[in-house]
Amino acid sequence: MIDLLPLLLQGAWVTVKVTFWGSLLAIFCALIGAFGRLSPIAPLRWLAIAYIEVFRGSSLLVQLFWLYFVLPMPPFEIEMSAFTVAVVGLGLNIGAYGAEVLRGAIRSVNPGQHEACHALNMTPATRFRRIILPQALLAAIPPGTNLLIELLKNTSLVSLITLSDLAFRARQLDQATLMTLEIFGLALVIYFVLAQLINACMRLLYRRLARGQTRGGLA
């Protein structure tokens, strides 16, 4: 069992890096997508809708294959490393779901908050930055946590574009040793620990944002 750990941990480190950078891209895409959907400018709204529907309505695996195998071909001729494709593919896919989560959270802010801001003569930018967005982010954290954990689990697909992540290393070891139970048992534990770390970090973030507000903590 001990001999299996070094190679699995190498794969786990690749999984962690893909998850980290993919999460940052997903958060950025979610913000841009949500703001685009809420924009009064029709072309921006249409672009945001197109992005969200395309990435939510098609298979993540096909998206990864498209980025890795199709883009390097004419007429695109855009070649990226397997790691970059993994980050971009996962980030864009989860970001599309996150955009709808954030848009719903922004819409859920009590209309009385908007009226109070108008009464205080706040500018739209100040109103959004200081009042609306903090409350929306607080509401978006629980479903957002689920999406980040989903991103972590979806990293298992990047082994199909030759990236040596945890799932790739587990299959490699299984083929070499036939210790299926032990190898995939360890992989399951590693995925579980990583998911719990994401959950713990998001709980801390929630408590930090909730400080000074009337909402309770996560269940």
Side-chain angles (χ1 to χ4, degrees):
M1 288 283 288
I2 296 176
D3 295 337
L4 303 175
L5 272 175
L7 202 58
L8 283 176
L9 291 177
Q10 286 179 24
W13 177 238
V14 174
T15 293
V16 168
K17 290 191 291 184
V18 171
T19 301
F20 176 77
W21 293 111
S23 297
L24 291 183
L25 179 58
I27 291 168
F28 176 77
C29 290
L31 288 167
I32 297 300
F35 295 159
R37 283 296 308 266
L38 296 170
S39 173
I41 304 172
L44 291 180
R45 198 163 59 248
W46 297 336
L47 283 173
I49 292 171
Y51 157 64
I52 291 167
E53 295 306 324
V54 166
F55 281 92
R56 287 198 313 167
S58 57
S59 165
L60 172 58
L61 182 57
V62 173
Q63 293 165 20
L64 290 172
F65 281 175
W66 207 89
L67 290 170
Y68 191 67
F69 295 112
V70 178
L71 281 187
M73 300 170 62
F76 307 105
E77 297 184 356
I78 301 172
E79 191 165 352
M80 295 182 285
S81 68
F83 182 85
T84 302
V85 167
V87 170
V88 171
L90 288 166
L92 289 173
N93 182 270
I94 297 299
Y97 290 92
E100 287 296 272
V101 167
L102 185 56
R103 183 175 72 93
I106 292 171
R107 291 290 194 192
S108 71
V109 175
N110 193 318
Q113 300 286 328
H114 296 270
E115 295 169 6
C117 292
H118 280 298
L120 293 172
N121 202 27
M122 285 187 178
T123 64
T126 302
R127 178 170 71 244
F128 187 79
R129 178 175 56 86
R130 297 188 59 184
I131 306 298
I132 307 303
L133 187 58
Q135 294 182 64
L137 290 176
L138 196 64
I141 284 178
T145 301
N146 293 335
L147 289 179
L148 293 182
I149 292 174
E150 189 68 21
L151 188 153
L152 166 67
K153 294 188 292 183
N154 285 342
T155 58
S156 60
L157 295 175
V158 304
S159 61
L160 299 175
I161 56 170
T162 72
L163 196 61
S164 300
D165 71 318
L166 178 55
F168 179 91
R169 293 300 188 187
R171 285 197 295 271
Q172 190 179 51
L173 283 170
D174 179 46
Q175 292 170 1
T177 66
L178 301 180
M179 298 174 64
T180 304
L181 176 63
E182 293 86 349
I183 290 166
F184 286 103
L186 282 172
L188 185 149
V189 169
I190 293 171
Y191 275 117
F192 177 79
V193 169
L194 292 176
Q196 293 311 303
L197 286 174
I198 291 173
N199 195 33
C201 290
M202 296 302 285
R203 283 176 178 269
L204 288 174
L205 178 61
Y206 184 95
R207 293 191 183 104
R208 184 178 182 86
L209 290 176
R211 193 173 300 163
Q213 296 192 32
T214 58
R215 300 190 184 200
L218 285 170

